[in-house]
Amino acid sequence: MENLIGIYEKALPKNLDWFCRLKLARELGFDFVEISIDESDERLERLYWPKEQKIRLVQDIFASGVPIMTMCFSGHRRYPLGSNSKQIRDKAMELMHKAILFAKDTGIRVIQMAGYDVYYEKSTPKTRRWFFEGLERSIELAEKYQVMLAMEVMDTPFINSITKYLEIEEMFNSPWFAVYPDLGNLSAWNNDVVKEIEKGFHKIVAVHVKDTLAVTDTCKGKFRDVPFGSGCVDFVTAFSILKKLGYKGPFVIEMWSEKSQDPVAEVISAKEWVIARLKEGGF
C-alpha cells in the first residue's frame, strides 16, 4: 500500500514508555502512532512538558524509526471552547495553544480537534458563538506555526457530517483548517458516506477507521468499542470512493484496547481485518 497506516495510542498497551510504544508499533507493521491528548490529567500534562522532555520524545522517535504524525486532541471535552464559564474557555485556549506548540516542537503534522462547542454543558446559541470565536483564534495560531488543525466528524449532532464541517470552514477559509473524518461516526449518523466524502474530499487530511452502531429511533448508537465487522460501517464502499478520488493520505486505526487482557493480539487482528477491506476497496 502507498498510504500510510497509523495506530491510535490507546490501542497499544498503556504502561509503556514512548520508545517501547513506538518500537512495538513498528514491529506490528504500522507507519506511525497517533498520540492522545484526552481530558485526563495524565495526558493533558504532556502539553506542559519542558523542552528536555520533548527532546527525549523526539529522540525516541528517531531511535524507533516511527514518527508521531497526528494528535487526537479530545481535551476540549473537559475544557470546551464554548463553555459558559470564561475560566474554562480561557483554559481551552491555553490548551489549544500548548497543543499547537507541542506539535510544532515534536514534528506532529495534524491536530485532530473534537467538534464540540460544549460536551458536559447544554449547547446554546451562546456556546456555539463562543466556540466559533475560540476556533477562529485557534486557526490563527495554527497558521502562525504552520500546524494543521483538522475537525473530526463527531459522536454528537453538532458536527456529525463533513457537510457541517464545510459550513464552518466557509466562515474561516483557511488552508490550515481541514477535516479528519471518522468513518464510524460518519456512518453512525446515517449520512450518505459516498456523497459526504465526495463533497469534502479536497479538505480531508487523514481518516479514522473504526466501526460503530447506527443511531436509530430506538438506539442512541454506539461510537466506540464495536468490533470491526460487527457494526454499521460499509468499509469497502468508503475505501472504494476514497481510492476512486485518488486519496493518498493516511488511515489511522482507532481502538481503545490499551487496558484489555491482550491488546497486541486485538490490534493484530484488527489490522489484518482493515487491510483486507482496504484491498477490497482497491488500495
mmCIF file with all atom_site columns, all heavy atoms in Angstrom, residues 128-143:
data_model
loop_
_atom_site.group_PDB
_atom_site.id
_atom_site.type_symbol
_atom_site.label_atom_id
_atom_site.label_alt_id
_atom_site.label_comp_id
_atom_site.label_asym_id
_atom_site.label_entity_id
_atom_site.label_seq_id
_atom_site.pdbx_PDB_ins_code
_atom_site.Cartn_x
_atom_site.Cartn_y
_atom_site.Cartn_z
_atom_site.occupancy
_atom_site.B_iso_or_equiv
_atom_site.pdbx_formal_charge
_atom_site.auth_seq_id
_atom_site.auth_comp_id
_atom_site.auth_asym_id
_atom_site.auth_atom_id
_atom_site.pdbx_PDB_model_num
ATOM 1   N N   . ARG A 1 128 ? -22.279 28.113 21.082 1.00 0.00 ? 128 ARG A N   1
ATOM 2   C CA  . ARG A 1 128 ? -21.825 27.976 19.699 1.00 0.00 ? 128 ARG A CA  1
ATOM 3   C C   . ARG A 1 128 ? -21.063 29.229 19.256 1.00 0.00 ? 128 ARG A C   1
ATOM 4   O O   . ARG A 1 128 ? -20.044 29.125 18.565 1.00 0.00 ? 128 ARG A O   1
ATOM 5   C CB  . ARG A 1 128 ? -23.013 27.694 18.776 1.00 0.00 ? 128 ARG A CB  1
ATOM 6   C CG  . ARG A 1 128 ? -23.629 26.319 19.019 1.00 0.00 ? 128 ARG A CG  1
ATOM 7   C CD  . ARG A 1 128 ? -24.636 25.946 17.972 1.00 0.00 ? 128 ARG A CD  1
ATOM 8   N NE  . ARG A 1 128 ? -25.892 26.665 18.108 1.00 0.00 ? 128 ARG A NE  1
ATOM 9   C CZ  . ARG A 1 128 ? -26.901 26.269 18.889 1.00 0.00 ? 128 ARG A CZ  1
ATOM 10  N NH1 . ARG A 1 128 ? -26.778 25.193 19.640 1.00 0.00 ? 128 ARG A NH1 1
ATOM 11  N NH2 . ARG A 1 128 ? -28.021 26.962 18.940 1.00 0.00 ? 128 ARG A NH2 1
ATOM 12  N N   . ARG A 1 129 ? -21.528 30.407 19.681 1.00 0.00 ? 129 ARG A N   1
ATOM 13  C CA  . ARG A 1 129 ? -20.822 31.641 19.333 1.00 0.00 ? 129 ARG A CA  1
ATOM 14  C C   . ARG A 1 129 ? -19.432 31.654 19.964 1.00 0.00 ? 129 ARG A C   1
ATOM 15  O O   . ARG A 1 129 ? -18.451 32.003 19.312 1.00 0.00 ? 129 ARG A O   1
ATOM 16  C CB  . ARG A 1 129 ? -21.629 32.856 19.783 1.00 0.00 ? 129 ARG A CB  1
ATOM 17  C CG  . ARG A 1 129 ? -20.903 34.190 19.571 1.00 0.00 ? 129 ARG A CG  1
ATOM 18  C CD  . ARG A 1 129 ? -21.818 35.380 19.795 1.00 0.00 ? 129 ARG A CD  1
ATOM 19  N NE  . ARG A 1 129 ? -22.393 35.394 21.134 1.00 0.00 ? 129 ARG A NE  1
ATOM 20  C CZ  . ARG A 1 129 ? -21.751 35.852 22.217 1.00 0.00 ? 129 ARG A CZ  1
ATOM 21  N NH1 . ARG A 1 129 ? -20.517 36.313 22.109 1.00 0.00 ? 129 ARG A NH1 1
ATOM 22  N NH2 . ARG A 1 129 ? -22.358 35.856 23.394 1.00 0.00 ? 129 ARG A NH2 1
ATOM 23  N N   . TRP A 1 130 ? -19.350 31.283 21.240 1.00 0.00 ? 130 TRP A N   1
ATOM 24  C CA  . TRP A 1 130 ? -18.048 31.251 21.896 1.00 0.00 ? 130 TRP A CA  1
ATOM 25  C C   . TRP A 1 130 ? -17.127 30.207 21.251 1.00 0.00 ? 130 TRP A C   1
ATOM 26  O O   . TRP A 1 130 ? -15.924 30.432 21.119 1.00 0.00 ? 130 TRP A O   1
ATOM 27  C CB  . TRP A 1 130 ? -18.230 30.947 23.383 1.00 0.00 ? 130 TRP A CB  1
ATOM 28  C CG  . TRP A 1 130 ? -18.686 32.127 24.184 1.00 0.00 ? 130 TRP A CG  1
ATOM 29  C CD1 . TRP A 1 130 ? -18.304 33.424 24.036 1.00 0.00 ? 130 TRP A CD1 1
ATOM 30  C CD2 . TRP A 1 130 ? -19.631 32.115 25.262 1.00 0.00 ? 130 TRP A CD2 1
ATOM 31  N NE1 . TRP A 1 130 ? -18.947 34.229 24.958 1.00 0.00 ? 130 TRP A NE1 1
ATOM 32  C CE2 . TRP A 1 130 ? -19.769 33.451 25.726 1.00 0.00 ? 130 TRP A CE2 1
ATOM 33  C CE3 . TRP A 1 130 ? -20.382 31.111 25.894 1.00 0.00 ? 130 TRP A CE3 1
ATOM 34  C CZ2 . TRP A 1 130 ? -20.603 33.801 26.779 1.00 0.00 ? 130 TRP A CZ2 1
ATOM 35  C CZ3 . TRP A 1 130 ? -21.215 31.462 26.939 1.00 0.00 ? 130 TRP A CZ3 1
ATOM 36  C CH2 . TRP A 1 130 ? -21.321 32.790 27.375 1.00 0.00 ? 130 TRP A CH2 1
ATOM 37  N N   . PHE A 1 131 ? -17.722 29.075 20.834 1.00 0.00 ? 131 PHE A N   1
ATOM 38  C CA  . PHE A 1 131 ? -16.918 28.060 20.148 1.00 0.00 ? 131 PHE A CA  1
ATOM 39  C C   . PHE A 1 131 ? -16.307 28.625 18.873 1.00 0.00 ? 131 PHE A C   1
ATOM 40  O O   . PHE A 1 131 ? -15.110 28.449 18.616 1.00 0.00 ? 131 PHE A O   1
ATOM 41  C CB  . PHE A 1 131 ? -17.786 26.845 19.827 1.00 0.00 ? 131 PHE A CB  1
ATOM 42  C CG  . PHE A 1 131 ? -17.106 25.841 18.917 1.00 0.00 ? 131 PHE A CG  1
ATOM 43  C CD1 . PHE A 1 131 ? -16.177 24.953 19.415 1.00 0.00 ? 131 PHE A CD1 1
ATOM 44  C CD2 . PHE A 1 131 ? -17.405 25.803 17.556 1.00 0.00 ? 131 PHE A CD2 1
ATOM 45  C CE1 . PHE A 1 131 ? -15.540 24.041 18.575 1.00 0.00 ? 131 PHE A CE1 1
ATOM 46  C CE2 . PHE A 1 131 ? -16.784 24.893 16.719 1.00 0.00 ? 131 PHE A CE2 1
ATOM 47  C CZ  . PHE A 1 131 ? -15.846 24.002 17.235 1.00 0.00 ? 131 PHE A CZ  1
ATOM 48  N N   . PHE A 1 132 ? -17.092 29.308 18.067 1.00 0.00 ? 132 PHE A N   1
ATOM 49  C CA  . PHE A 1 132 ? -16.579 29.846 16.812 1.00 0.00 ? 132 PHE A CA  1
ATOM 50  C C   . PHE A 1 132 ? -15.525 30.928 17.066 1.00 0.00 ? 132 PHE A C   1
ATOM 51  O O   . PHE A 1 132 ? -14.551 31.035 16.319 1.00 0.00 ? 132 PHE A O   1
ATOM 52  C CB  . PHE A 1 132 ? -17.722 30.388 15.963 1.00 0.00 ? 132 PHE A CB  1
ATOM 53  C CG  . PHE A 1 132 ? -18.653 29.313 15.459 1.00 0.00 ? 132 PHE A CG  1
ATOM 54  C CD1 . PHE A 1 132 ? -20.031 29.461 15.548 1.00 0.00 ? 132 PHE A CD1 1
ATOM 55  C CD2 . PHE A 1 132 ? -18.147 28.148 14.902 1.00 0.00 ? 132 PHE A CD2 1
ATOM 56  C CE1 . PHE A 1 132 ? -20.885 28.467 15.091 1.00 0.00 ? 132 PHE A CE1 1
ATOM 57  C CE2 . PHE A 1 132 ? -18.996 27.143 14.439 1.00 0.00 ? 132 PHE A CE2 1
ATOM 58  C CZ  . PHE A 1 132 ? -20.370 27.314 14.535 1.00 0.00 ? 132 PHE A CZ  1
ATOM 59  N N   . GLU A 1 133 ? -15.707 31.712 18.116 1.00 0.00 ? 133 GLU A N   1
ATOM 60  C CA  . GLU A 1 133 ? -14.688 32.706 18.456 1.00 0.00 ? 133 GLU A CA  1
ATOM 61  C C   . GLU A 1 133 ? -13.378 32.021 18.844 1.00 0.00 ? 133 GLU A C   1
ATOM 62  O O   . GLU A 1 133 ? -12.292 32.440 18.413 1.00 0.00 ? 133 GLU A O   1
ATOM 63  C CB  . GLU A 1 133 ? -15.181 33.585 19.613 1.00 0.00 ? 133 GLU A CB  1
ATOM 64  C CG  . GLU A 1 133 ? -16.306 34.540 19.222 1.00 0.00 ? 133 GLU A CG  1
ATOM 65  C CD  . GLU A 1 133 ? -16.846 35.320 20.413 1.00 0.00 ? 133 GLU A CD  1
ATOM 66  O OE1 . GLU A 1 133 ? -16.367 35.089 21.551 1.00 0.00 ? 133 GLU A OE1 1
ATOM 67  O OE2 . GLU A 1 133 ? -17.752 36.159 20.207 1.00 0.00 ? 133 GLU A OE2 1
ATOM 68  N N   . GLY A 1 134 ? -13.475 30.961 19.643 1.00 0.00 ? 134 GLY A N   1
ATOM 69  C CA  . GLY A 1 134 ? -12.275 30.226 20.026 1.00 0.00 ? 134 GLY A CA  1
ATOM 70  C C   . GLY A 1 134 ? -11.646 29.507 18.857 1.00 0.00 ? 134 GLY A C   1
ATOM 71  O O   . GLY A 1 134 ? -10.410 29.426 18.741 1.00 0.00 ? 134 GLY A O   1
ATOM 72  N N   . LEU A 1 135 ? -12.486 28.980 17.967 1.00 0.00 ? 135 LEU A N   1
ATOM 73  C CA  . LEU A 1 135 ? -11.965 28.293 16.781 1.00 0.00 ? 135 LEU A CA  1
ATOM 74  C C   . LEU A 1 135 ? -11.208 29.267 15.894 1.00 0.00 ? 135 LEU A C   1
ATOM 75  O O   . LEU A 1 135 ? -10.148 28.934 15.351 1.00 0.00 ? 135 LEU A O   1
ATOM 76  C CB  . LEU A 1 135 ? -13.117 27.644 16.017 1.00 0.00 ? 135 LEU A CB  1
ATOM 77  C CG  . LEU A 1 135 ? -12.746 26.878 14.746 1.00 0.00 ? 135 LEU A CG  1
ATOM 78  C CD1 . LEU A 1 135 ? -11.744 25.779 15.028 1.00 0.00 ? 135 LEU A CD1 1
ATOM 79  C CD2 . LEU A 1 135 ? -14.013 26.302 14.098 1.00 0.00 ? 135 LEU A CD2 1
ATOM 80  N N   . GLU A 1 136 ? -11.725 30.477 15.736 1.00 0.00 ? 136 GLU A N   1
ATOM 81  C CA  . GLU A 1 136 ? -11.036 31.483 14.926 1.00 0.00 ? 136 GLU A CA  1
ATOM 82  C C   . GLU A 1 136 ? -9.648  31.774 15.487 1.00 0.00 ? 136 GLU A C   1
ATOM 83  O O   . GLU A 1 136 ? -8.660  31.827 14.740 1.00 0.00 ? 136 GLU A O   1
ATOM 84  C CB  . GLU A 1 136 ? -11.851 32.766 14.868 1.00 0.00 ? 136 GLU A CB  1
ATOM 85  C CG  . GLU A 1 136 ? -11.210 33.856 14.006 1.00 0.00 ? 136 GLU A CG  1
ATOM 86  C CD  . GLU A 1 136 ? -12.081 35.086 13.886 1.00 0.00 ? 136 GLU A CD  1
ATOM 87  O OE1 . GLU A 1 136 ? -12.910 35.332 14.779 1.00 0.00 ? 136 GLU A OE1 1
ATOM 88  O OE2 . GLU A 1 136 ? -11.930 35.809 12.878 1.00 0.00 ? 136 GLU A OE2 1
ATOM 89  N N   . ARG A 1 137 ? -9.546  31.939 16.786 1.00 0.00 ? 137 ARG A N   1
ATOM 90  C CA  . ARG A 1 137 ? -8.246  32.186 17.415 1.00 0.00 ? 137 ARG A CA  1
ATOM 91  C C   . ARG A 1 137 ? -7.337  30.972 17.264 1.00 0.00 ? 137 ARG A C   1
ATOM 92  O O   . ARG A 1 137 ? -6.121  31.114 17.061 1.00 0.00 ? 137 ARG A O   1
ATOM 93  C CB  . ARG A 1 137 ? -8.441  32.540 18.890 1.00 0.00 ? 137 ARG A CB  1
ATOM 94  C CG  . ARG A 1 137 ? -9.140  33.878 19.100 1.00 0.00 ? 137 ARG A CG  1
ATOM 95  C CD  . ARG A 1 137 ? -9.662  34.032 20.524 1.00 0.00 ? 137 ARG A CD  1
ATOM 96  N NE  . ARG A 1 137 ? -8.597  33.961 21.512 1.00 0.00 ? 137 ARG A NE  1
ATOM 97  C CZ  . ARG A 1 137 ? -8.792  33.748 22.818 1.00 0.00 ? 137 ARG A CZ  1
ATOM 98  N NH1 . ARG A 1 137 ? -10.032 33.574 23.272 1.00 0.00 ? 137 ARG A NH1 1
ATOM 99  N NH2 . ARG A 1 137 ? -7.772  33.714 23.653 1.00 0.00 ? 137 ARG A NH2 1
ATOM 100 N N   . SER A 1 138 ? -7.906  29.783 17.355 1.00 0.00 ? 138 SER A N   1
ATOM 101 C CA  . SER A 1 138 ? -7.123  28.560 17.201 1.00 0.00 ? 138 SER A CA  1
ATOM 102 C C   . SER A 1 138 ? -6.534  28.451 15.802 1.00 0.00 ? 138 SER A C   1
ATOM 103 O O   . SER A 1 138 ? -5.358  28.094 15.623 1.00 0.00 ? 138 SER A O   1
ATOM 104 C CB  . SER A 1 138 ? -7.994  27.332 17.496 1.00 0.00 ? 138 SER A CB  1
ATOM 105 O OG  . SER A 1 138 ? -8.505  27.364 18.814 1.00 0.00 ? 138 SER A OG  1
ATOM 106 N N   . ILE A 1 139 ? -7.345  28.768 14.798 1.00 0.00 ? 139 ILE A N   1
ATOM 107 C CA  . ILE A 1 139 ? -6.866  28.698 13.414 1.00 0.00 ? 139 ILE A CA  1
ATOM 108 C C   . ILE A 1 139 ? -5.769  29.726 13.177 1.00 0.00 ? 139 ILE A C   1
ATOM 109 O O   . ILE A 1 139 ? -4.782  29.457 12.472 1.00 0.00 ? 139 ILE A O   1
ATOM 110 C CB  . ILE A 1 139 ? -8.046  28.887 12.437 1.00 0.00 ? 139 ILE A CB  1
ATOM 111 C CG1 . ILE A 1 139 ? -9.015  27.703 12.544 1.00 0.00 ? 139 ILE A CG1 1
ATOM 112 C CG2 . ILE A 1 139 ? -7.551  29.034 11.000 1.00 0.00 ? 139 ILE A CG2 1
ATOM 113 C CD1 . ILE A 1 139 ? -10.321 27.904 11.808 1.00 0.00 ? 139 ILE A CD1 1
ATOM 114 N N   . GLU A 1 140 ? -5.898  30.897 13.772 1.00 0.00 ? 140 GLU A N   1
ATOM 115 C CA  . GLU A 1 140 ? -4.847  31.918 13.642 1.00 0.00 ? 140 GLU A CA  1
ATOM 116 C C   . GLU A 1 140 ? -3.528  31.410 14.211 1.00 0.00 ? 140 GLU A C   1
ATOM 117 O O   . GLU A 1 140 ? -2.456  31.635 13.626 1.00 0.00 ? 140 GLU A O   1
ATOM 118 C CB  . GLU A 1 140 ? -5.278  33.198 14.348 1.00 0.00 ? 140 GLU A CB  1
ATOM 119 C CG  . GLU A 1 140 ? -6.399  33.947 13.625 1.00 0.00 ? 140 GLU A CG  1
ATOM 120 C CD  . GLU A 1 140 ? -6.963  35.092 14.443 1.00 0.00 ? 140 GLU A CD  1
ATOM 121 O OE1 . GLU A 1 140 ? -6.557  35.242 15.624 1.00 0.00 ? 140 GLU A OE1 1
ATOM 122 O OE2 . GLU A 1 140 ? -7.818  35.838 13.927 1.00 0.00 ? 140 GLU A OE2 1
ATOM 123 N N   . LEU A 1 141 ? -3.584  30.715 15.357 1.00 0.00 ? 141 LEU A N   1
ATOM 124 C CA  . LEU A 1 141 ? -2.373  30.145 15.945 1.00 0.00 ? 141 LEU A CA  1
ATOM 125 C C   . LEU A 1 141 ? -1.807  29.041 15.056 1.00 0.00 ? 141 LEU A C   1
ATOM 126 O O   . LEU A 1 141 ? -0.585  28.933 14.878 1.00 0.00 ? 141 LEU A O   1
ATOM 127 C CB  . LEU A 1 141 ? -2.676  29.589 17.332 1.00 0.00 ? 141 LEU A CB  1
ATOM 128 C CG  . LEU A 1 141 ? -2.880  30.606 18.456 1.00 0.00 ? 141 LEU A CG  1
ATOM 129 C CD1 . LEU A 1 141 ? -3.431  29.915 19.701 1.00 0.00 ? 141 LEU A CD1 1
ATOM 130 C CD2 . LEU A 1 141 ? -1.568  31.323 18.781 1.00 0.00 ? 141 LEU A CD2 1
ATOM 131 N N   . ALA A 1 142 ? -2.681  28.228 14.494 1.00 0.00 ? 142 ALA A N   1
ATOM 132 C CA  . ALA A 1 142 ? -2.231  27.152 13.606 1.00 0.00 ? 142 ALA A CA  1
ATOM 133 C C   . ALA A 1 142 ? -1.521  27.725 12.383 1.00 0.00 ? 142 ALA A C   1
ATOM 134 O O   . ALA A 1 142 ? -0.489  27.204 11.940 1.00 0.00 ? 142 ALA A O   1
ATOM 135 C CB  . ALA A 1 142 ? -3.427  26.295 13.180 1.00 0.00 ? 142 ALA A CB  1
ATOM 136 N N   . GLU A 1 143 ? -2.083  28.775 11.823 1.00 0.00 ? 143 GLU A N   1
ATOM 137 C CA  . GLU A 1 143 ? -1.440  29.433 10.678 1.00 0.00 ? 143 GLU A CA  1
ATOM 138 C C   . GLU A 1 143 ? -0.071  29.976 11.056 1.00 0.00 ? 143 GLU A C   1
ATOM 139 O O   . GLU A 1 143 ? 0.900   29.865 10.301 1.00 0.00 ? 143 GLU A O   1
ATOM 140 C CB  . GLU A 1 143 ? -2.330  30.563 10.166 1.00 0.00 ? 143 GLU A CB  1
ATOM 141 C CG  . GLU A 1 143 ? -3.616  30.090 9.511  1.00 0.00 ? 143 GLU A CG  1
ATOM 142 C CD  . GLU A 1 143 ? -4.467  31.246 9.001  1.00 0.00 ? 143 GLU A CD  1
ATOM 143 O OE1 . GLU A 1 143 ? -4.095  32.415 9.250  1.00 0.00 ? 143 GLU A OE1 1
ATOM 144 O OE2 . GLU A 1 143 ? -5.493  30.974 8.362  1.00 0.00 ? 143 GLU A OE2 1
#
